Amino acid sequence: MNAPTTDLGTYDVEKIRADFPILSTTVHGKPLVYLDNGASAQKPRAVIDEMVDVMEHRYANVHRGLHHLANAATEAYEGAREIVRRFLGAASSDEIIFTKSTTEGINLVANSLGQSIQPGDEIVLSILEHHSNIVPWHFLRERRGAVIKWAPVAEDGSFLMEEFEKLLGPRTKIVAMTQMSNVTGTVVPVKAVCEKAHAVGAKVLIDGSQAAVHLPVDVKDIGCDFYVITGHKLYGPTGIGAVYGRYDLLASMPPFLGGGEMIKDVTEEMVTYGEPPHRFEAGTPPIIEAAGLGAALAYMESVGRERIAAHEAKLAAYAHERLGSLNSVKIFGTAPGKGAIVAFEMAGAHAHDVATILDRYGIAVRAGTHCAQPLLKRYGVSSTCRASFAMYNRLDEVDRLVEGLAKAQDFFA
């Protein structure tokens, strides 16, 4: 696996930026300021090189073959699984299932656990959730008669633990919750959520799509039953994600998809399933993408996850300070300890128009609902702009954002 060029002794953002080829791009004649990391992060050279190397020198189908390339590809694939295990703090690599995304991971858990859901059983979500952690549970409402309950948040986006506790009871079967909102950046106290949910016998799934990017994660300490991540937000490729699941639960769950690799035996009359994690990985898996994800997580670890978090906290604080100086801009989500994500609206301007003007100055932000319509409804808005920061962003890029917004403000005045 290719080593990054980052100097590990200090947090040198310029050396980190040098590892990301796309950051030297210009847009409309301006240097790129990429602040759409919450949707998808850019890729370091270590990831690009690892994926190319697998394709050029180590590619074959995994697990089934006896020849050299099959063994090399299997080593790359299973080596990536071990890196994910280490990254999440799981006890065993057998607790790590590769999927194509967080979305597929949540659907896997919802489908498998959902087969035991009875009419009137309750599922508790928070109003902070991304649609990927809402729609699969609506399937169980539609198809199994489940009841969905919603944990609210305060005006600043803070999670209201006491209100959450009131929703728990003997019919609560599943609690599914983000660790960090993709809109407000709110960090949910997931360890306490797990303790409260387990006290009533519920299973807990944590959506780590954003949190795993910005914070160190230890699933054993959190105490969750399932934790899901997606590769493309973690500086890795698209088409790859992972589910952590407690092994005893995985071993008791029916598979989500059927096909090759996930079985022990198939006859005309019956089928017996393999052990976790393979019973949940039907068919040829995303081999090259898994290697890329492993390289991305190894890169993050080499930079230092605590140092990344500290750098991004400075970016977030500076962004709140600078954007707060613009009278026409309203920020949604100011909870203490929030992540490096800033959602905002500009008075008298639609979010899409603001984002379009920013693009003319080389600044990439996201505009729309951010796949979080219930949360935007809670704030009484239909869309916002969102600037989301990464390990490679600089303070002067926040200044560029503010300058662009000031120009947009003048345009709409």
Side-chain angles (χ1 to χ4, degrees):
M1 191 170 290
N2 295 281
T5 61
T6 308
D7 179 356
L8 303 185
T10 60
Y11 195 93
D12 188 332
V13 70
E14 292 305 322
K15 288 188 176 182
I16 291 171
R17 290 176 66 84
D19 288 335
F20 290 80
I22 202 169
L23 297 183
S24 61
T25 299
T26 58
V27 176
H28 303 303
K30 307 289 195 305
L32 170 66
V33 175
Y34 188 77
L35 302 178
D36 194 21
N37 299 286
S40 202
Q42 299 300 341
K43 320 306 172 192
R45 176 61 65 187
V47 170
I48 298 167
D49 288 349
E50 176 71 4
M51 295 177 71
V52 169
D53 187 76
V54 170
M55 285 187 282
E56 289 185 341
H57 304 294
R58 293 179 282 156
Y59 181 76
N61 213 326
V62 295
H63 298 142
R64 304 176 181 88
L66 298 175
H67 56 82
H68 170 77
L69 287 180
N71 290 332
T74 299
E75 182 178 346
Y77 183 72
E78 293 300 333
R81 195 192 305 276
E82 171 58 21
I83 293 174
V84 176
R85 181 209 64 77
R86 184 178 71 220
F87 189 82
L88 296 179
S92 167
S93 60
D94 289 340
E95 296 182 315
I96 303 300
I97 301 163
F98 282 127
T99 63
K100 69 181 182 184
S101 59
T102 286
T103 300
E104 184 178 79
I106 296 173
N107 275 273
L108 182 159
V109 175
N111 182 279
S112 293
L113 289 184
Q115 295 187 36
S116 64
I117 291 292
Q118 300 298 316
D121 285 347
E122 296 170 356
I123 300 168
V124 178
L125 312 177
S126 83
I127 205 71
L128 296 167
E129 302 311 314
H130 187 281
H131 293 168
S132 292
N133 200 27
I134 296 176
V135 177
W137 309 112
H138 269 303
F139 286 173
L140 296 184
R141 178 191 59 79
E142 294 173 343
R143 302 168 188 178
R144 308 287 299 190
V147 174
I148 298 177
K149 293 189 171 184
W150 297 90
V153 294
E155 186 64 24
D156 69 352
S158 297
F159 183 76
L160 299 173
M161 180 61 71
E162 291 185 2
E163 296 302 313
F164 164 70
E165 288 185 64
K166 293 176 184 177
L167 302 175
L168 302 175
R171 297 303 300 269
T172 308
K173 302 302 179 184
I174 299 168
V175 172
M177 207 155 288
T178 186
Q179 188 177 3
M180 181 185 290
S181 167
N182 74 311
V183 179
T184 63
T186 300
V187 176
V188 175
V190 291
K191 184 174 182 177
V193 165
C194 291
E195 291 172 352
K196 301 297 182 183
H198 287 155
V200 298
K203 303 294 188 298
V204 184
L205 176 143
I206 301 299
D207 177 357
S209 298
Q210 298 293 336
V213 182
H214 303 290
L215 302 172
V217 173
D218 185 335
V219 293
K220 293 195 298 293
D221 181 65
I222 291 171
C224 55
D225 301 298
F226 305 95
Y227 195 98
V228 289
I229 60 172
T230 193
H232 67 98
K233 298 183 195 297
L234 287 159
Y235 309 99
T238 55
I240 184 72
V243 175
Y244 155 78
R246 277 180 30 218
Y247 188 85
D248 61 317
L249 286 177
L250 296 179
S252 69
M253 288 164 51
F256 174 48
L257 299 172
E261 186 64 22
M262 50 75 68
I263 52 85
K264 285 183 177 177
D265 293 293
V266 176
T267 71
E268 292 93 333
E269 295 81 20
M270 62 174 292
V271 57
T272 56
Y273 306 125
E275 301 300 323
H278 301 296
R279 74 161 57 179
F280 298 103
E281 294 181 0
T284 298
I287 302 162
I288 300 163
E289 291 79 4
L293 175 59
L297 301 186
Y299 180 88
M300 290 180 68
E301 290 176 334
S302 75
V303 174
R305 294 167 74 185
E306 292 81 3
R307 284 186 288 176
I308 292 171
H311 174 72
E312 292 175 345
K314 292 178 183 177
L315 288 168
Y318 189 61
H320 275 263
E321 176 187 345
R322 291 300 320 276
L323 267 66
S325 68
L326 298 173
N327 293 332
S328 65
V329 170
K330 177 181 179 181
I331 296 173
F332 297 94
T334 57
K338 65 168 286 185
I341 300 168
V342 184
F344 59 91
E345 68 171 356
M346 177 173 285
H350 193 280
H352 290 170
D353 296 328
V354 174
T356 300
I357 290 176
L358 290 174
D359 178 64
R360 299 304 301 179
Y361 293 97
I363 304 162
V365 299
R366 181 72 33 173
T369 67
H370 318 298
C371 292
Q373 288 179 305
L375 179 58
L376 266 62
K377 180 181 178 182
R378 183 257 179 264
Y379 283 114
V381 294
S382 60
S383 64
T384 68
C385 288
R386 182 187 67 191
S388 47
F389 300 91
M391 69 163 84
Y392 43 65
N393 289 123
R394 302 179 307 215
L395 294 176
D396 70 288
E397 293 182 312
V398 176
D399 295 330
R400 287 268 308 276
L401 171 63
V402 172
E403 290 167 6
L405 288 172
K407 289 181 171 65
Q409 184 175 265
D410 291 343
F411 180 84
F412 291 113

